[in-house]
Amino acid sequence: SAVGAALHAPFFVATERTRLCLPGPSHGCPPESLASHRLARLPHALGRYLALTGAALTGPECYALGLATHLCEAHALPQLADALGEGFSDGGEGGAAAGGEGERRLLWRVSRRLSDACVELPPLGGWGEEHALYYAPQVEAAFSRGSLPEVMRALEEGGTEWHQAALEVLREASPLALSLTFAQLRAAEETDCWAAAARAEAESCAAAAATADFRAGAGLLHRSKVELLQAVETEARRRHETRAVGEIARRAAARAAREEARGPPVPPAPPAWEHGSVEEVEDEAVARLVTPLF
């Protein structure tokens, strides 16, 4: 996936608009990010938190954690692309001799250009409640536990709104997908080879795609996307149609009356997962789907 490629690339430019999010278990499957090796090595058990809950990292957080190598304001990306394109395709400054030394010189030149062209973001002055890193101590205390049931018990005992919100996300997600995600990250922690971790992750995700939870989550996700697209298209038509003021008012009143008669929108029913809780997921079921690293 794009996330896995970016996290293992020599350079990764993030902006204030960057969001790194892995919402797999809520859709019935483990995250197919090919980034489990990097996630498993994040401090404060943040990798587990991100993969299990679908919480997001912002661009500055990616940079602070070493996931991004450069941080740049989004409006400057076109100029950044132009700077990288000058001299690197004609054997000029970017031309590198064959062998390791030439490759190192090329990477150094690319890094220098990136650093020169990036427009730095204004300093944040600390993480706010909208950042995952703001909750780093709570994340570490709960998500560094040795098993998934222990993680959930720690959240139950936490007592804050953050603990309750994280617990609700886990309770609504697929117990099987959560167990597979936790097992993948535990396995990735034990190997120094990111390629082996990525291979095992891809094979496990492919195996998980045959489960009932994946089908249930994918079906709900598809329906949600269709409804969202329909709402966007309806709003676009409404905005672009030109009508007389009286006609607009009449149609708006009729639409309001229909919506009032229907009542508040009913959210889609959550998927019916195969297991009722993470405690019900058998070790054998996880072992069948998680690919061994060696």
Side-chain angles (χ1 to χ4, degrees), residues 142-158:
F143 285 83
S144 61
R145 304 302 177 96
S147 69
L148 191 52
E150 290 179 41
V151 169
M152 300 191 72
R153 282 195 292 271
L155 292 173
E156 290 173 353
E157 297 166 0

Side-chain angles (χ1 to χ4, degrees), residues 12-19 58-63 67-74 77 80 118-119 121:
F12 172 13
V13 179
T15 77
E16 74 278 9
R17 298 179 182 176
T18 299
R19 294 294 183 273
T58 63
E61 288 177 291
C62 289
Y63 182 70
L67 297 176
T69 58
H70 296 78
L71 191 60
C72 180
E73 290 191 0
L77 290 181
L80 182 66
C118 282
V119 177
L121 273 65

Side-chain angles (χ1 to χ4, degrees), residues 214-237:
F214 177 85
R215 292 191 294 272
L220 178 62
L221 181 61
H222 174 71
R223 292 192 297 273
S224 300
K225 286 185 175 180
V226 169
E227 292 173 1
L228 178 60
L229 288 174
Q230 290 174 342
V232 170
E233 291 172 358
T234 300
E235 179 65 15
R237 286 196 301 270

Side-chain angles (χ1 to χ4, degrees), residues 9-282:
F11 307 107
F12 172 13
V13 179
T15 77
E16 74 278 9
R17 298 179 182 176
T18 299
R19 294 294 183 273
L20 192 159
C21 182
L22 307 167
S26 64
H27 300 150
C29 64
E32 189 185 357
S33 63
L34 304 184
S36 59
H37 190 264
R38 291 295 304 272
L39 293 175
R41 283 156 178 76
L42 290 181
H44 312 298
L46 279 165
R48 291 184 180 182
Y49 172 60
L50 297 173
L52 292 170
T53 67
L57 290 178
T58 63
E61 288 177 291
C62 289
Y63 182 70
L65 291 167
L67 297 176
T69 58
H70 296 78
L71 191 60
C72 180
E73 290 191 0
H75 71 82
L77 290 181
Q79 295 90 324
L80 182 66
D82 291 342
L84 288 175
E86 295 173 358
F88 284 92
S89 60
D90 58 3
E93 179 189 349
E101 183 59 32
E103 181 179 348
R104 283 191 291 272
R105 286 201 302 269
L106 175 60
L107 291 176
W108 179 83
R109 288 168 178 160
V110 173
S111 179
R112 186 182 64 182
R113 289 222 181 165
L114 286 172
S115 299
D116 291 344
C118 282
V119 177
E120 294 185 2
L121 273 65
L124 287 176
W127 305 115
E129 294 183 4
E130 70 277 14
H131 296 108
L133 285 177
Y134 179 84
Y135 301 99
Q138 295 95 317
V139 170
E140 184 170 16
F143 285 83
S144 61
R145 304 302 177 96
S147 69
L148 191 52
E150 290 179 41
V151 169
M152 300 191 72
R153 282 195 292 271
L155 292 173
E156 290 173 353
E157 297 166 0
T160 69
E161 291 185 7
W162 176 88
H163 288 91
Q164 186 62 32
L167 181 61
E168 287 302 316
V169 170
L170 295 186
R171 283 176 172 168
E172 293 176 2
S174 158
L176 178 60
L178 289 172
S179 300
L180 295 177
T181 301
F182 193 87
Q184 285 180 354
L185 291 172
R186 287 290 297 270
E189 291 171 3
E190 299 173 0
T191 179
D192 293 329
C193 180
W194 76 264
R199 174 189 58 79
E201 181 182 342
E203 292 179 358
S204 297
C205 288
T211 64
D213 279 10
F214 177 85
R215 292 191 294 272
L220 178 62
L221 181 61
H222 174 71
R223 292 192 297 273
S224 300
K225 286 185 175 180
V226 169
E227 292 173 1
L228 178 60
L229 288 174
Q230 290 174 342
V232 170
E233 291 172 358
T234 300
E235 179 65 15
R237 286 196 301 270
R238 187 185 68 82
R239 288 177 176 272
H240 289 87
E241 289 175 353
T242 56
R243 304 186 182 95
V245 174
E247 179 67 9
I248 292 176
R250 185 187 68 79
R251 288 177 178 267
R255 184 168 59 251
R258 289 195 302 270
E259 292 176 354
E260 184 177 357
R262 283 199 303 265
V266 179
W273 305 125
E274 183 178 356
H275 303 84
S277 67
V278 295
E279 288 84 0
E280 295 180 16
V281 179
E282 307 87 355

